[in-house]
């Protein structure tokens, strides 16, 4: 079965640079979530989209922005990167707005040096 | 606001034995879902099992089962016949029904190690 695809798997950036993470949800899934997981931490919700509209916002810094495109893929843009942004970034998708489980991608490991 | 508590940061079990991971939560909702996710060393987040609060029957998925005590707001995960591949971080997760899309709140996780 198709899964959530995230790219790239690994990304190394320097401080103050910009990074773009991509997420391709499972086909027919219309809801996308972004989570950030720091070392030894539980995943923290950043932002979500439903039908290409931003629906919910968590602890996402103003330096970050995201959007969902017409084909339902989503991109997380991160500017003015800081060392503390180093983390595993997960994208998850599901169909609809009910209680169906989230299906997670393999994550993008971002390292800021 | 909902909270999810996993009180066991680490646990270990011998292969083929049974282990139970605990999770408690707090909510004012009466109808909701609960999830257990595992995160092996590969860091992928994998759904293990889910429980619907309105169902009295505990969910079961092969060697994984839950003990859901709604009144006590407890949602423990039992792993039977533990295998080396079960070594992972296990997260209990609860949807935030106060948010538009029911984003998940995760517990802090329990690191399970299965040893030979």
């Amino acid at each position: 079965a198709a899964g959530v695809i995230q790219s790239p798997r690994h990304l190394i950036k320097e401080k103050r640079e910009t990074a773009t993470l991509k997420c391709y949800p499972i086909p027919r899934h219309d809801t996308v979530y972004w989570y950030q997981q720091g070392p030894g931490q539980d995943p923290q919700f950043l932002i979500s989209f439903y039908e290409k509209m931003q629906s919910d916002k968590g602890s996402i810094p103003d330096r970050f922005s995201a959007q969902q495109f017409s084909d339902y893929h989503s991109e997380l843009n991160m500017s003015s990167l800081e060392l503390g942004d180093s983390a595993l970034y997960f994208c998850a998708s599901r169909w609809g707005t009910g209680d169906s489980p989230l299906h997670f991608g393999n994550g993008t490991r971002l390292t800021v040096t | 606001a909902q909270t999810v508590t996993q009180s066991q940061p680490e646990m270990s079990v011998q292969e083929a034995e049974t282990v139970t991971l605990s999770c408690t939560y707090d909510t004012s909702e009466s109808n909701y879902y609960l999830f257990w996710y595992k995160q092996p060393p590969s860091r992928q987040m994998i759904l293990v099992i889910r429980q619907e609060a309105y169902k009295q029957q505990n969910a079961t998925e092969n060697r994984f089962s839950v003990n859901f005590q709604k009144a006590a707001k407890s949602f423990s995960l039992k792993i039977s016949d533990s295998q080396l591949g079960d070594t992972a971080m296990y997260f209990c997760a609860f949807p935030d029904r106060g948010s538009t899309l029911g984003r998940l709140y995760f517990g802090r996780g329990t690191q399970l190690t299965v040893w030979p």
Side-chain angles (χ1 to χ4, degrees):
Chain A
V4 177
I5 306 296
Q6 288 187 248
S7 67
R9 290 296 304 275
H10 302 276
L11 190 59
I12 300 175
K13 292 286 185 178
E14 295 186 353
K15 283 196 315 183
R16 294 179 289 277
E17 285 192 319
T18 297
T20 297
L21 280 54
K22 297 185 178 182
C23 169
Y24 296 86
I26 292 173
R28 292 188 297 279
H29 281 195
D30 50 13
T31 309
V32 169
Y33 300 76
W34 285 97
Y35 283 82
Q36 177 192 57
Q37 186 180 28
Q41 302 294 315
D42 54 295
Q44 295 293 315
F45 170 75
L46 292 177
I47 195 166
S48 61
F49 294 87
Y50 170 64
E51 282 292 341
K52 294 155 280 184
M53 299 288 289
Q54 180 186 308
S55 181
D56 198 6
K57 207 170 181 180
S59 51
I60 183 170
D62 292 340
R63 300 177 289 107
F64 294 6
S65 65
Q67 57 182 325
Q68 187 179 30
F69 295 86
S70 58
D71 63 351
Y72 294 99
H73 95 271
S74 178
E75 295 183 3
L76 178 65
N77 298 292
M78 309 158 71
S79 62
S80 303
L81 288 169
E82 302 174 355
L83 296 178
D85 296 329
S86 295
L88 188 60
Y89 290 84
F90 283 108
C91 172
S93 75
R94 70 175 182 194
W95 181 84
T97 59
D99 291 309
S100 57
L102 270 60
H103 296 267
F104 285 81
N106 287 336
T108 294
R109 178 167 296 285
L110 172 67
T111 302
V112 181
T113 62
Chain B
Q2 291 89 344
T3 59
V4 182
T5 302
Q6 293 179 251
S7 58
Q8 305 151 313
E10 297 179 355
M11 293 192 73
S12 62
V13 64
Q14 190 171 18
E15 200 175 9
E17 296 293 308
T18 296
V19 64
T20 299
L21 311 182
S22 65
C23 172
T24 58
Y25 60 94
D26 186 27
T27 183
S28 58
E29 301 286 337
S30 59
N31 188 22
Y32 48 87
Y33 285 73
L34 292 158
F35 303 94
W36 278 98
Y37 282 87
K38 66 181 278 189
Q39 188 174 39
S42 66
R43 304 307 301 276
Q44 185 179 4
M45 193 71 78
I46 302 167
L47 176 67
V48 175
I49 199 166
R50 76 169 179 172
Q51 174 74 44
E52 300 165 48
Y54 66 88
K55 287 188 175 180
Q56 292 187 341
Q57 186 175 7
N58 290 323
T60 299
E61 286 287 342
N62 300 314
R63 297 181 295 107
F64 298 87
S65 61
V66 301
N67 182 8
F68 176 52
Q69 303 289 330
K70 189 173 182 180
K73 296 181 181 175
S74 170
F75 180 58
S76 59
L77 175 69
K78 185 172 82 170
I79 306 174
S80 304
D81 187 24
S82 298
Q83 301 176 359
L84 297 179
D86 294 333
T87 292
M89 179 72 86
Y90 286 81
F91 291 100
C92 178
F94 184 88
D96 177 6
R97 296 177 74 88
S99 70
T100 308
L101 297 182
R103 64 188 181 186
L104 287 180
Y105 278 117
F106 289 87
R108 300 302 295 270
T110 296
Q111 176 62 50
L112 175 67
T113 301
V114 181
W115 45 282

